[in-house]
């Protein structure tokens, strides 16, 4: 029915970023709660990574917000193609993304090694020139990641830890994983 379609549309607007189609902050918070509960039950590690694009402001300033929006959509597509089906990628706004890796080893060293592999894959995948509207754009990511094991932290604390790690990368010129 028309009412049901309208309801589904409102649900989509409430939970997904209009530009990239990725989950937004609201849906990310919900998925984090579920993933943290599941990780605690199963004794798995959960990885939360905060990702920010180096030099994105320059793209917006020099080429306009349309170019910036196209660039963000292209980055989102690249990120989606890099991650596994069950992992979550969300856009918090601006050029900030959060990646959550589910179903990771119970062993923290194995989980850290997996995180490094995925982080390096994301760095390679995003560190490419993008051709948009006849122009070439380039930006690199700064990625900060944190592991949740044991389930003592809140989702806000996990995000904060990943954010702090990301800022350490930014402070050292970006294009790296911390």
């Amino acid at each position: 029915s028309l009412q049901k379609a309208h309801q589904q549309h409102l649900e989509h607007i409430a939970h997904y970023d209009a530009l990239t189609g990725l989950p937004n902050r609201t849906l990310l918070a919900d998925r984090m709660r579920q993933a943290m509960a599941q990780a605690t039950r199963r004794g798995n590690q959960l990885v939360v990574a905060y990702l920010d694009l180096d030099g994105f402001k320059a793209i917006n300033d020099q080429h306009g917000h349309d170019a910036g929006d196209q660039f963000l959509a292209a980055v989102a597509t690249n990120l989606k193609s890099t991650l596994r089906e069950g992992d979550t990628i969300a856009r918090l706004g601006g050029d900030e993304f959060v990646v959550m890796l589910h179903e990771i080893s119970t062993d923290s060293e194995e989980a850290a090694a997996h995180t490094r592999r995925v982080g390096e894959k994301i760095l390679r995948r995003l560190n490419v020139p993008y051709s948009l509207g006849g122009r070439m754009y380039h930006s690199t990511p700064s990625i900060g990641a944190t592991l949740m094991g044991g389930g003592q932290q809140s989702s806000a604390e996990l995000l904060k830890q990943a954010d702090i790690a990301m800022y350490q990368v930014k402070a050292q010129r970006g294009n790296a994983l911390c």
Side-chain angles (χ1 to χ4, degrees):
S1 75
L2 195 60
Q3 192 175 3
K4 189 174 181 187
H6 182 67
Q7 187 61 40
Q8 286 174 325
H9 179 67
L10 290 177
E11 285 280 312
H12 189 82
I13 290 171
H15 294 104
Y16 290 88
D17 174 56
L19 177 66
T20 61
L22 294 174
N24 64 15
R25 191 180 290 270
T26 307
L27 185 53
L28 174 68
D30 193 45
R31 287 198 182 165
M32 279 185 80
R33 273 192 300 276
Q34 290 175 13
M36 289 170 79
Q38 189 177 38
T40 303
R41 272 197 315 275
R42 295 183 178 171
N44 285 357
Q45 297 282 329
L46 176 71
V47 173
V48 176
Y50 210 98
L51 192 149
D52 183 270
L53 302 172
D54 310 320
F56 174 71
K57 188 180 178 317
I59 293 172
N60 256 348
D61 292 348
Q62 292 166 17
H63 306 288
H65 289 283
D66 282 352
D69 286 354
Q70 286 178 7
F71 183 75
L72 289 171
V75 166
T77 300
N78 270 351
L79 275 172
K80 277 189 262 190
S81 71
T82 308
L83 298 174
R84 298 174 306 177
E85 192 67 44
D87 296 329
T88 296
I89 166 148
R91 179 174 175 233
L92 298 189
D95 61 335
E96 293 181 328
F97 296 88
V98 168
V99 170
M100 189 169 56
L101 308 177
H102 307 250
E103 302 290 319
I104 296 192
S105 170
T106 53
D107 179 71
S108 58
E109 283 189 20
E110 266 179 45
H114 177 77
T115 304
R116 248 189 313 279
R117 281 193 305 276
V118 172
E120 282 162 9
K121 197 172 159 188
I122 291 171
L123 285 167
R124 276 195 308 276
R125 191 82 174 92
L126 296 189
N127 198 346
V128 294
Y130 292 80
S131 175
L132 302 167
R135 273 209 163 101
M136 295 303 273
Y137 299 95
H138 187 255
S139 172
T140 54
S142 289
I143 308 169
T146 189
L147 289 171
M148 182 208 95
Q152 319 82 335
Q153 307 108 309
S154 69
S155 58
E157 285 172 318
L158 280 176
L159 279 173
K160 189 176 180 192
Q161 288 170 6
D163 193 27
I164 289 167
M166 185 268 296
Y167 273 103
Q168 289 177 336
V169 173
K170 279 248 179 258
Q172 293 160 11
R173 300 220 194 330
N175 195 24
L177 167 73
C178 174

